[in-house]
Amino acid sequence: MRFRDEYRDAGQARRLAAAIARRLTRAWTLMEVCGGQTHAIVRYGIDTLLPPEINLVHGPGCPVCVTPAAYVDKAIEIAARPEITLCSFGDMLRVPGSAGDLLAAKSRGADVRIVYSPLDALAVARAHPGRQVVLFAVGFETTAPANAMAALQARREGLGNFSMLVSHVLVPPAMRAILDSPDNRIQAFLAAGHVCTVMGYHDYEPIAARWRVPIVVTGFEPLDILEGVYMCICQLEDGRADVENQYSRSVRRDGNQPAQAALREVFRVVPRHWRGIGDIADSGLGLADAYADLDAERRFGPVDAGMEAAGECISGLVLRGERKPTQCPAFGTRCTPQHPLGVTMVSAEGACAAYHRYRGLAAVAGGSQ
Amino acid sequence: MTNRSGFAASCPLPADSGDTIQLAHGGGGRQMAWLLETIIRPAFDDAELDRRHDGAVLAVDGPVAFTTDSYVVRPLVFPGGDIGSLAVNGTVNDLAMCGARPLCLSVGLILEEGLPLDLLRRIVASMRDAAAAAGVRLVTGDTKVVDRGKADGMFISTAGIGRVVAPTPVGPAGVCVGDALVLSGDIGRHGMAVMAAREALGFESALQSDCAPLVAPVMALLDAGIAVRCLRDLTRGGLAAAAVEIAETAGRAIELDEEAIAVRDDVAAACELLGLDALHVANEGRFLAFIAPQDAARAVALLRQLPVSADAAIVGAVSEGPAGRVSCRGPLGVARVIDMPSGEQLPRIC
């Protein structure tokens, strides 16, 4: 298949891995920000091709993982109301709130529908004018423009029965929070290619400069990731700390301007709680005042931002890159995809789920530290 | 169209019975007799049905394979098939996987009030065609009608018997270390075709289900004296679930080679877009054959002579490793663990 097979070539992968090894003079710790990259690294065994001096640490970029339990609880509460149809992306349905998930709510009779595009939720609202249709709008800068388009379109059509439960999050504030942590070990970032496709990468230039950390905008195929690692290693070994763009077939420095304009129109930057990580200032998007009438929290009551239950799960440490999934004592035993203790075992992009799915219990034996 | 006169002094369900299924069609009375005589029996057209007895009486020599399955699918008609062809091929294929030549099926229809009769005609015609293609008879059946909202249009349950022709038992217990895994063709078409139709994904490519009978390729292997150790058709859960189930039951490990597993470009592209793994996507016309190593190349050559298995290939082997472990060597040469899919396949956010 074009645009895929050429980025999965084994010979090229070996050549890149060898080039990385030639540049190394010491050990380095890199974080791939996006869960899609984590997924590819574990699926294709990219970490096993790299010299052992390179430690790849998995970042917070799993949208369903960082959505606070309180928002899942609110979505379940809203969906349980008889007049409401709740539309959500598929992988949010299995994410546990403080008690249960949306799939369980659906089995109890709630009208919960999987949509592939936010605009599909508008179609549901048009088709059922007697029902209130709520879109569970979560995700990073990648999904935010499509949700913004849904808001713009709803406004244009005057769809009075459509609203959004918004819990969007932004990548650069999370990277700053990780770098500011006293326990930070990250020496370079593979930035999330698709986030940068939308937002461009000028926001990362002050981060690279202030923390003296190389940032390479990186794609999602095996050769993308290997090349991103190579570019990071070259910068680290040369003592540089620049923003570079590996994913140039998709990303421009200024990003997608119309998408950014839609975001500015519909959303405003708000403080956001990240599940497992905590509060990060100016790290989320909420509806702008001009679109507040589309806010499901206005219609159906605000999210109750209570305390997160503490338990055995170490997903917060995993999302901050401070632990690997296999360093959790519950991994693969008390915590599995069938009985997850935390979100990182639930989502397809969650680091724990990726290790469990592609490495199984062999991972616990220590093959992937 | 039960009454075109506008004057309602007639029976609410006259003899022509309107254009949708009514509760009376399952009531055991004249309307039910009408449904059976005008739609179902003519379509299935079998001497056993024509006897109008409580059951079919059959003469079968030797060991018999017997299986049953129920079919629910939304939408009822999808590109490349419908619930009728699915219900026939599914049970026919289960019999073939037992090393049996399918002979006869029973058909249980559960119809929802309001089901368009034209759709029912289309589906029973499709069952007839599928049965003819697979060389099986539809010899006995049952029809029930349930209230609107109690069924997704219609459900079909089929059971079938077949005459076992394999000289040695075919099943997971026969799997040996070193056996080759022969896959009969490309994977993932049925699951993606149904998902694209159900969710109106708007893919421009014409994804078609692979729904097909697998009798001919299985008989080709057995007739040629190939040492067939185990057969498994790939249905829900895809190649991954089939391989894991057999590895667990047989107490062996399986090593797959991802590069050898054919996935059409349109299926692969849809999987990439939705974040699904083609190994987990459903099929309805593919099977995995565990073949003694000395016969593997000949098995592939035989299968490739038939249209339904023209893309057959060796995709892996049985190994000594830990019981139940399935691994898959990817394009970079690194093996990953293959697990059963957990829960429904849900498309991811981005």
Side-chain angles (χ1 to χ4, degrees), chain B residues 7-86:
Chain B
F7 181 67
S10 62
C11 169
L13 191 65
D16 75 357
S17 171
D19 57 3
T20 60
I21 285 292
Q22 314 286 319
L23 279 175
H25 285 125
R30 292 227 164 266
Q31 290 79 17
M32 183 161 170
W34 175 87
L35 179 73
L36 296 179
E37 294 306 324
T38 60
I39 296 186
I40 293 175
R41 220 188 303 275
F44 293 169
D45 187 26
D46 191 276
E48 277 298 321
L49 285 171
D50 291 343
R51 289 174 51 237
R52 303 182 193 197
H53 193 41
D54 276 356
V57 178
L58 308 162
V60 184
D61 295 332
V64 167
F66 178 36
T67 187
T68 184
D69 208 341
S70 299
Y71 299 86
V72 298
V73 64
R74 184 170 53 86
L76 294 173
V77 178
F78 47 82
D82 57 51
I83 190 171
S85 56
L86 202 62

XYZ file of all heavy atoms in Angstrom, chain B residues 7-86:
589
model
N -62.125 2.007 2.815
C -63.266 1.545 3.601
C -62.807 0.333 4.383
O -62.376 -0.669 3.812
C -64.434 1.190 2.670
C -65.657 0.732 3.408
C -66.373 1.602 4.218
C -66.084 -0.594 3.301
C -67.489 1.170 4.894
C -67.204 -1.020 3.986
C -67.911 -0.148 4.792
N -62.868 0.397 5.700
C -62.158 -0.574 6.526
C -62.990 -1.764 6.950
O -62.761 -2.356 7.981
C -61.585 0.120 7.755
N -63.955 -2.119 6.141
C -64.804 -3.227 6.548
C -64.230 -4.588 6.160
O -64.918 -5.586 6.174
C -66.188 -3.071 5.934
N -62.960 -4.619 5.780
C -62.379 -5.897 5.395
C -61.468 -6.396 6.506
O -61.152 -5.685 7.449
C -61.593 -5.727 4.094
O -60.548 -4.807 4.317
N -61.055 -7.609 6.351
C -60.093 -8.184 7.285
C -58.819 -7.334 7.276
O -58.351 -6.930 6.210
C -59.770 -9.615 6.851
S -58.370 -10.302 7.743
N -58.248 -7.049 8.438
C -57.017 -6.239 8.447
C -55.840 -6.943 7.779
O -54.838 -6.337 7.507
C -56.750 -6.023 9.936
C -57.501 -7.104 10.641
C -58.676 -7.414 9.787
N -55.944 -8.235 7.553
C -54.846 -8.955 6.907
C -55.415 -9.878 5.839
O -55.608 -11.059 6.051
C -54.074 -9.770 7.945
C -52.760 -10.360 7.461
C -51.770 -9.260 7.139
C -52.206 -11.293 8.498
N -55.746 -9.309 4.687
C -56.344 -10.133 3.651
C -55.347 -11.125 3.079
O -54.179 -11.118 3.425
C -56.777 -9.111 2.598
C -55.885 -7.955 2.800
C -55.560 -7.930 4.255
N -55.860 -11.940 2.150
C -55.067 -13.072 1.669
C -53.759 -12.642 1.023
O -52.760 -13.344 1.114
C -55.884 -13.891 0.696
N -53.725 -11.457 0.393
C -52.465 -11.078 -0.240
C -51.447 -10.588 0.796
O -50.291 -10.373 0.465
C -52.697 -10.032 -1.331
C -52.987 -8.653 -0.766
O -53.061 -8.500 0.469
O -53.144 -7.723 -1.556
N -51.947 -10.354 2.025
C -51.066 -10.254 3.174
C -50.232 -8.986 3.251
O -49.355 -8.869 4.085
C -50.158 -11.478 3.189
O -49.183 -11.355 4.125
N -50.474 -8.002 2.416
C -49.763 -6.740 2.549
C -48.316 -6.846 2.145
O -47.894 -7.790 1.499
N -47.535 -5.858 2.549
C -46.149 -5.854 2.108
C -45.159 -5.967 3.256
O -43.969 -5.820 3.052
C -45.862 -4.601 1.278
C -46.183 -3.341 2.047
O -46.576 -3.452 3.233
O -46.033 -2.248 1.479
N -45.660 -6.190 4.465
C -44.741 -6.397 5.587
C -45.195 -7.594 6.414
O -46.343 -8.031 6.332
C -44.692 -5.177 6.532
O -46.000 -4.954 7.049
C -44.182 -3.936 5.832
N -44.252 -8.097 7.218
C -44.567 -9.190 8.140
C -45.479 -8.664 9.257
O -45.228 -7.604 9.830
C -43.258 -9.756 8.736
C -42.527 -10.606 7.704
C -43.505 -10.563 9.999
C -43.239 -11.902 7.347
N -46.549 -9.407 9.517
C -47.467 -9.090 10.618
C -47.355 -10.198 11.656
O -46.923 -11.314 11.340
C -48.909 -9.034 10.096
C -49.099 -8.252 8.815
C -48.996 -6.758 9.037
O -49.508 -6.247 10.015
N -48.315 -6.079 8.132
N -47.798 -9.910 12.865
C -47.761 -10.935 13.912
C -48.512 -12.188 13.471
O -48.134 -13.318 13.791
C -48.357 -10.398 15.210
C -47.411 -9.544 16.068
C -48.156 -8.977 17.263
C -46.198 -10.338 16.509
N -49.599 -11.987 12.686
C -50.414 -13.128 12.256
C -49.631 -14.113 11.390
O -49.975 -15.288 11.305
C -51.631 -12.623 11.477
N -48.518 -13.635 10.774
C -47.713 -14.541 9.946
C -47.020 -15.619 10.767
O -46.513 -16.592 10.211
C -46.658 -13.755 9.155
C -47.246 -13.006 8.001
N -47.074 -11.647 7.824
C -48.018 -13.413 6.967
C -47.697 -11.258 6.732
N -48.283 -12.315 6.190
N -46.990 -15.415 12.094
C -46.386 -16.445 12.933
C -47.409 -17.143 13.791
O -47.066 -17.935 14.672
N -48.672 -16.866 13.539
C -49.725 -17.308 14.451
C -50.184 -18.737 14.256
O -51.042 -19.220 14.985
N -49.649 -19.432 13.264
C -50.038 -20.824 13.077
C -51.305 -20.994 12.258
O -51.731 -22.120 12.003
N -51.887 -19.903 11.794
C -53.137 -20.005 11.045
C -52.925 -19.847 9.555
O -51.866 -20.169 9.010
N -53.950 -19.317 8.872
C -53.916 -19.224 7.413
C -52.798 -18.299 6.928
O -52.167 -18.575 5.906
C -55.255 -18.703 6.889
C -56.392 -19.666 7.078
C -57.221 -19.805 5.784
N -58.051 -21.008 5.875
C -57.681 -22.179 5.386
N -56.529 -22.304 4.752
N -58.458 -23.223 5.505
N -52.594 -17.188 7.683
C -51.559 -16.250 7.223
C -50.175 -16.897 7.271
O -49.333 -16.652 6.414
C -51.571 -14.977 8.087
C -52.776 -14.092 7.879
C -54.008 -14.598 8.607
O -53.910 -15.437 9.516
N -55.169 -14.109 8.216
N -49.997 -17.719 8.299
C -48.703 -18.389 8.385
C -48.557 -19.401 7.245
O -47.492 -19.500 6.619
C -48.574 -19.086 9.736
C -47.234 -19.741 9.914
S -46.897 -20.059 11.622
C -45.447 -21.072 11.445
N -49.641 -20.111 6.983
C -49.612 -21.072 5.882
C -49.310 -20.346 4.570
O -48.520 -20.811 3.742
C -50.952 -21.798 5.796
N -49.911 -19.143 4.414
C -49.665 -18.366 3.201
C -48.189 -18.005 3.079
O -47.572 -18.145 2.016
C -50.521 -17.089 3.246
C -50.238 -16.162 2.097
C -50.811 -16.187 0.864
C -49.271 -15.102 2.080
N -50.281 -15.218 0.068
C -49.328 -14.518 0.791
C -48.389 -14.579 3.011
C -48.528 -13.450 0.428
C -47.592 -13.516 2.645
C -47.658 -12.961 1.361
N -47.611 -17.561 4.198
C -46.202 -17.170 4.188
C -45.323 -18.356 3.784
O -44.428 -18.244 2.931
C -45.795 -16.662 5.580
C -44.340 -16.232 5.736
C -44.106 -14.903 5.029
C -43.964 -16.099 7.209
N -45.594 -19.505 4.390
C -44.774 -20.685 4.106
C -44.954 -21.139 2.659
O -43.975 -21.456 1.970
C -45.131 -21.821 5.068
C -44.850 -21.553 6.552
C -45.275 -22.747 7.403
C -43.383 -21.244 6.781
N -46.219 -21.143 2.198
C -46.503 -21.695 0.865
C -46.060 -20.775 -0.261
O -45.683 -21.230 -1.338
C -48.005 -21.989 0.716
C -48.513 -23.098 1.626
C -47.707 -24.380 1.482
O -47.273 -24.702 0.361
O -47.475 -25.040 2.518
N -46.141 -19.447 -0.021
C -45.864 -18.540 -1.143
C -44.445 -17.986 -1.131
O -43.940 -17.568 -2.167
C -46.845 -17.345 -1.164
O -46.700 -16.640 0.065
C -48.262 -17.797 -1.350
N -43.814 -17.958 0.025
C -42.470 -17.362 0.052
C -41.397 -18.394 0.391
O -40.410 -18.539 -0.326
C -42.415 -16.176 1.044
C -43.336 -15.056 0.561
C -40.973 -15.663 1.179
C -43.274 -13.785 1.366
N -41.609 -19.123 1.481
C -40.483 -19.909 1.994
C -40.333 -21.249 1.269
O -39.261 -21.565 0.744
C -40.631 -20.083 3.520
C -40.448 -18.695 4.154
C -39.613 -21.080 4.060
C -40.658 -18.623 5.614
N -41.417 -22.027 1.173
C -41.278 -23.353 0.570
C -40.870 -23.276 -0.910
O -39.988 -24.016 -1.340
C -42.557 -24.178 0.754
C -42.252 -25.644 1.091
C -43.486 -26.518 1.082
N -44.549 -26.097 1.961
C -44.644 -26.410 3.259
N -43.709 -27.131 3.832
N -45.659 -26.015 3.973
N -41.476 -22.351 -1.695
C -41.053 -22.284 -3.097
C -39.578 -21.917 -3.242
O -38.890 -22.416 -4.142
C -41.936 -21.181 -3.688
C -43.065 -21.028 -2.747
C -42.569 -21.447 -1.393
N -39.114 -21.072 -2.333
C -37.716 -20.668 -2.445
C -36.799 -21.838 -2.131
O -35.821 -22.089 -2.832
C -37.428 -19.500 -1.510
N -37.099 -22.559 -1.064
C -36.187 -23.626 -0.645
C -36.364 -24.885 -1.494
O -35.413 -25.622 -1.725
C -36.371 -23.933 0.837
C -35.924 -22.791 1.732
C -36.208 -22.789 3.084
C -35.217 -21.715 1.213
C -35.792 -21.753 3.903
C -34.806 -20.666 2.027
C -35.097 -20.690 3.377
N -37.597 -25.151 -1.920
C -37.881 -26.150 -2.942
C -37.150 -27.476 -2.697
O -36.215 -27.829 -3.402
C -37.484 -25.582 -4.328
C -37.929 -26.530 -5.442
O -38.907 -27.282 -5.210
O -37.297 -26.520 -6.509
N -37.575 -28.198 -1.671
C -36.943 -29.487 -1.379
C -38.033 -30.517 -1.125
O -39.059 -30.220 -0.502
C -36.044 -29.363 -0.141
C -35.161 -30.598 0.030
O -35.641 -31.596 0.609
O -34.014 -30.549 -0.446
N -37.777 -31.726 -1.573
C -38.777 -32.784 -1.446
C -39.146 -33.036 0.011
O -40.295 -33.326 0.337
C -38.256 -34.065 -2.091
N -38.149 -32.909 0.903
C -38.441 -33.127 2.319
C -39.425 -32.089 2.847
O -40.320 -32.390 3.623
C -37.151 -33.083 3.151
C -36.382 -34.386 3.180
C -37.185 -35.527 3.808
O -37.902 -35.276 4.793
O -37.106 -36.645 3.296
N -39.222 -30.828 2.411
C -40.152 -29.778 2.832
C -41.538 -30.050 2.254
O -42.563 -29.825 2.908
C -39.659 -28.406 2.364
C -38.490 -27.800 3.135
C -38.006 -26.553 2.403
C -38.884 -27.452 4.563
N -41.568 -30.535 1.022
C -42.842 -30.770 0.355
C -43.664 -31.850 1.055
O -44.879 -31.921 0.870
C -42.605 -31.135 -1.114
C -42.081 -29.940 -1.900
O -42.221 -28.806 -1.384
O -41.507 -30.141 -2.983
N -43.017 -32.697 1.832
C -43.765 -33.712 2.575
C -44.594 -33.091 3.694
O -45.492 -33.701 4.231
C -42.802 -34.755 3.178
C -42.180 -35.679 2.137
C -41.131 -36.590 2.751
N -41.651 -37.280 3.921
C -41.123 -37.228 5.143
N -40.036 -36.534 5.338
N -41.670 -37.868 6.142
N -44.289 -31.849 4.049
C -45.033 -31.101 5.071
C -45.198 -31.910 6.351
O -46.286 -32.000 6.908
C -46.406 -30.683 4.530
C -46.259 -29.861 3.278
C -47.565 -29.395 2.757
N -47.365 -28.897 1.405
C -48.213 -28.131 0.781
N -49.326 -27.776 1.360
N -47.960 -27.723 -0.435
N -44.108 -32.493 6.774
C -44.131 -33.286 7.985
C -43.434 -32.491 9.090
O -42.914 -31.406 8.861
C -43.420 -34.624 7.715
C -43.635 -35.635 8.782
N -44.852 -35.832 9.394
C -42.785 -36.520 9.350
C -44.734 -36.788 10.301
N -43.488 -37.222 10.289
N -43.411 -33.062 10.314
C -42.812 -32.344 11.436
C -41.297 -32.295 11.371
O -40.670 -31.498 12.063
C -43.232 -32.994 12.767
C -44.596 -32.467 13.216
O -45.133 -31.573 12.522
O -45.105 -32.943 14.239
N -40.705 -33.151 10.581
C -39.251 -33.143 10.492
C -38.818 -33.877 9.243
O -39.629 -34.500 8.559
N -37.531 -33.788 8.947
C -36.995 -34.472 7.777
C -36.453 -35.837 8.192
O -35.921 -35.992 9.281
C -35.868 -33.642 7.160
N -36.610 -36.805 7.334
C -36.069 -38.143 7.586
C -34.962 -38.383 6.562
O -35.195 -38.282 5.359
C -37.170 -39.212 7.461
C -36.578 -40.604 7.676
C -38.284 -38.940 8.458
N -33.750 -38.644 7.075
C -32.587 -38.693 6.199
C -31.835 -39.997 6.387
O -31.810 -40.542 7.481
C -31.631 -37.541 6.523
C -32.271 -36.144 6.565
C -31.364 -35.187 7.295
C -32.565 -35.658 5.156
N -31.233 -40.489 5.344
C -30.369 -41.667 5.446
C -28.932 -41.220 5.224
O -28.622 -40.611 4.210
C -30.764 -42.691 4.388
N -28.075 -41.476 6.208
C -26.675 -41.058 6.108
C -25.785 -42.229 6.484
O -26.018 -42.899 7.480
C -26.387 -39.873 7.052
C -24.959 -39.395 6.844
C -27.370 -38.735 6.834
N -24.749 -42.472 5.684
C -23.792 -43.537 6.002
C -22.622 -42.966 6.786
O -22.145 -41.883 6.481
C -23.228 -44.151 4.711
C -24.318 -44.857 3.932
O -25.265 -45.319 4.579
O -24.215 -44.906 2.691
N -22.142 -43.706 7.743
C -20.876 -43.373 8.395
C -20.995 -42.233 9.380
O -22.088 -41.776 9.692
N -19.836 -41.773 9.887
C -19.855 -40.724 10.915
C -20.420 -39.413 10.376
O -20.206 -39.061 9.210
C -18.389 -40.583 11.307
C -17.602 -41.219 10.222
C -18.479 -42.213 9.553
N -21.123 -38.721 11.253
C -21.819 -37.502 10.863
C -21.289 -36.338 11.701
O -21.086 -36.483 12.905
C -23.338 -37.670 11.089
C -24.059 -36.327 11.000
C -23.924 -38.638 10.072
N -21.055 -35.212 11.061
C -20.745 -33.973 11.785
C -22.039 -33.183 11.926
O -22.861 -33.169 11.012
C -19.712 -33.159 11.020
N -22.208 -32.541 13.068
C -23.463 -31.857 13.371
C -23.103 -30.534 14.032
O -22.304 -30.508 14.975
C -24.266 -32.758 14.319
C -25.580 -32.187 14.788
C -26.381 -31.414 13.955
C -26.031 -32.450 16.081
C -27.592 -30.907 14.396
C -27.244 -31.948 16.527
C -28.019 -31.176 15.678
N -23.645 -29.427 13.546
C -23.291 -28.117 14.116
C -24.477 -27.176 14.041
O -25.422 -27.416 13.270
C -22.087 -27.502 13.383
O -21.680 -26.307 14.060
C -22.430 -27.132 11.947
N -24.444 -26.131 14.842
C -25.508 -25.128 14.805
C -24.922 -23.756 15.064
O -23.885 -23.615 15.708
C -26.604 -25.454 15.836
O -27.672 -24.507 15.693
C -26.070 -25.371 17.260
N -25.582 -22.732 14.526
C -25.119 -21.357 14.720
C -26.301 -20.420 14.511
O -27.246 -20.752 13.797
C -24.010 -21.038 13.708
C -23.036 -19.992 14.234
O -23.403 -19.269 15.192
O -21.933 -19.888 13.684
N -26.237 -19.265 15.136
C -27.288 -18.259 14.978
C -26.683 -17.007 14.372
O -25.529 -16.679 14.641
C -27.920 -17.944 16.328
O -28.509 -19.101 16.853
N -27.464 -16.312 13.573
C -26.933 -15.200 12.790
C -27.705 -13.931 13.079
O -28.930 -13.893 12.960
C -26.963 -15.553 11.299
C -26.093 -16.768 11.057
C -26.596 -18.057 11.217
C -24.743 -16.616 10.779
C -25.789 -19.164 11.074
C -23.924 -17.726 10.634
C -24.448 -18.996 10.786
O -23.631 -20.082 10.657
N -26.989 -12.918 13.507
C -27.549 -11.585 13.706
C -26.570 -10.635 13.032
O -25.380 -10.704 13.288
C -27.712 -11.252 15.203
C -28.677 -12.207 15.857
C -26.395 -11.297 15.952
N -27.043 -9.814 12.160
C -26.145 -8.854 11.511
C -26.957 -7.611 11.146
O -28.131 -7.697 10.792
C -25.451 -9.464 10.262
C -26.461 -9.824 9.184
C -24.381 -8.533 9.701
N -26.323 -6.472 11.304
C -26.942 -5.216 10.923
C -25.938 -4.479 10.052
O -24.795 -4.315 10.480
C -27.264 -4.406 12.190
C -28.010 -3.116 11.944
C -28.472 -2.552 13.277
N -27.369 -2.424 14.230
C -26.559 -1.359 14.303
N -26.728 -0.352 13.475
N -25.586 -1.301 15.181
N -26.276 -4.065 8.844
C -27.564 -4.222 8.169
C -27.769 -5.653 7.671
O -26.811 -6.406 7.513
C -27.438 -3.258 6.984
C -25.980 -3.193 6.697
C -25.287 -3.332 8.023
N -29.051 -5.994 7.404
C -29.381 -7.350 6.962
C -28.772 -7.646 5.591
O -28.428 -8.780 5.299
C -30.898 -7.535 6.908
C -31.614 -7.488 8.263
C -33.131 -7.512 8.063
C -31.179 -8.630 9.162
N -28.683 -6.607 4.774
C -28.042 -6.755 3.458
C -26.804 -5.870 3.452
O -26.874 -4.704 3.844
C -29.001 -6.321 2.328
C -28.305 -6.426 0.971
C -30.261 -7.168 2.353
N -25.672 -6.438 3.076
C -24.421 -5.678 3.073
C -23.690 -5.993 1.772
O -24.023 -6.979 1.098
C -23.566 -6.046 4.297
C -23.450 -7.526 4.529
C -22.525 -8.283 3.829
C -24.300 -8.174 5.423
C -22.433 -9.648 4.025
C -24.210 -9.547 5.621
C -23.278 -10.288 4.915
N -22.722 -5.186 1.382
C -22.037 -5.452 0.118
C -21.391 -6.838 0.125
O -20.616 -7.152 1.017
C -20.966 -4.358 0.063
C -21.465 -3.281 0.974
C -22.219 -3.972 2.053
N -21.783 -7.651 -0.843
C -21.196 -8.982 -0.945
C -22.003 -10.071 -0.278
O -21.604 -11.233 -0.304
N -23.142 -9.740 0.324
C -23.937 -10.790 0.956
C -25.089 -10.227 1.757
O -25.382 -9.031 1.712
N -25.744 -11.128 2.481
C -26.823 -10.720 3.379
C -26.940 -11.785 4.459
O -26.215 -12.787 4.435
C -28.144 -10.533 2.613
C -28.544 -11.781 1.861
O -28.573 -12.869 2.477
O -28.809 -11.683 0.645
N -27.872 -11.573 5.405
C -27.970 -12.496 6.534
C -28.310 -13.913 6.056
O -27.921 -14.897 6.694
C -29.000 -11.972 7.567
C -28.935 -12.797 8.863
C -30.411 -11.941 6.980
C -29.747 -12.226 10.002
N -28.978 -14.027 4.908
C -29.334 -15.343 4.395
C -28.117 -16.126 3.916
O -27.898 -17.284 4.313
N -27.296 -15.497 3.070
C -26.101 -16.201 2.591
C -25.152 -16.473 3.748
O -24.496 -17.518 3.812
C -25.402 -15.389 1.489
O -25.084 -14.095 1.941
N -25.116 -15.539 4.707
C -24.269 -15.716 5.893
C -24.710 -16.950 6.688
O -23.877 -17.757 7.127
C -24.425 -14.459 6.755
C -23.358 -14.095 7.756
C -22.038 -13.834 7.045
C -23.791 -12.842 8.524
